[in-house]
Amino acid sequence: DLIAADVHTPGIARLMVDIESVGLSNLRVIHGDALEFLNRLPTRSTDEIRIWFPDPWPKPKQRQRLIVTRAIVIRLVPCLVEGGRLRMATDIVDYAEQMLDVCSSHPALAGGVVDRPSDRPITRFERKGIDAGRVITDLEFVRQT
């Protein structure tokens, strides 16, 4: 079972159309802030958290909106079961470096940059990044004991 969360209304609408077209019944959609939903998740209840191509918020005054920061990773990790994975992908080099730094410094996470997983879908944002000549970075961290 999967839960998808996004604040972008057109993205949610597109996802709902896609769900209906392929007849998925194991996906729930939250139209809202994933971090607010995170407060409702019990400790050690999640096998995997995926963050594919989060908004890089490039302007200095927007940096507080980044989703992969020390403060947010500290909130994500307790939701993962032992052996649970935090998987991320971005086409922004400095964001990939931040993701790597933040997650590598968390004592309960082990991992780093990985080859593109075959099960990760190619998103519209990934296609835009590739078309613009940007390098895609995939990261995977596993919750340790």
Side-chain angles (χ1 to χ4, degrees):
D1 293 332
L2 298 170
I3 300 170
D6 200 340
V7 295
H8 188 245
T9 302
I12 290 292
R14 177 63 194 195
L15 179 59
M16 298 301 289
V17 168
D18 291 347
I19 290 169
E20 184 69 26
S21 71
V22 296
L24 290 178
S25 62
N26 67 333
L27 179 61
R28 300 295 179 258
V29 179
I30 296 168
H31 183 202
D33 189 338
L35 297 177
E36 289 178 19
F37 176 73
L38 183 63
N39 295 331
R40 298 172 48 196
L41 286 178
T43 301
R44 297 185 183 207
S45 63
T46 307
D47 292 319
E48 189 169 286
I49 296 172
R50 301 172 183 172
I51 304 173
W52 302 152
F53 300 89
D55 196 324
W57 298 108
K59 296 179 184 173
K61 66 181 181 179
Q62 298 171 327
R63 299 300 281 183
Q64 78 276 1
R65 295 180 181 170
L66 293 176
I67 196 164
V68 183
T69 63
R70 288 187 200 291
I72 293 173
V73 169
I74 287 169
R75 291 177 57 200
L76 293 174
V77 170
C79 297
L80 290 169
V81 299
E82 187 175 318
R85 300 183 301 168
L86 173 57
R87 296 173 61 193
M88 300 166 287
T90 184
D91 61 330
I92 306 298
V93 172
D94 65 328
Y95 204 176
E97 291 168 355
Q98 176 176 324
M99 292 172 166
L100 182 61
D101 179 54
V102 164
C103 295
S104 294
S105 67
H106 193 288
L109 293 176
V113 176
V114 296
D115 291 335
R116 185 187 188 287
S118 61
D119 66 335
R120 182 174 61 72
I122 297 175
T123 70
R124 183 171 58 93
F125 295 106
E126 181 174 10
R127 279 193 192 97
K128 283 183 175 183
I130 291 168
D131 291 346
R134 293 190 293 267
V135 174
I136 308 302
T137 303
D138 280 274
L139 299 103
E140 181 175 305
F141 289 85
V142 178
R143 180 173 180 176
Q144 306 300 297
T145 338

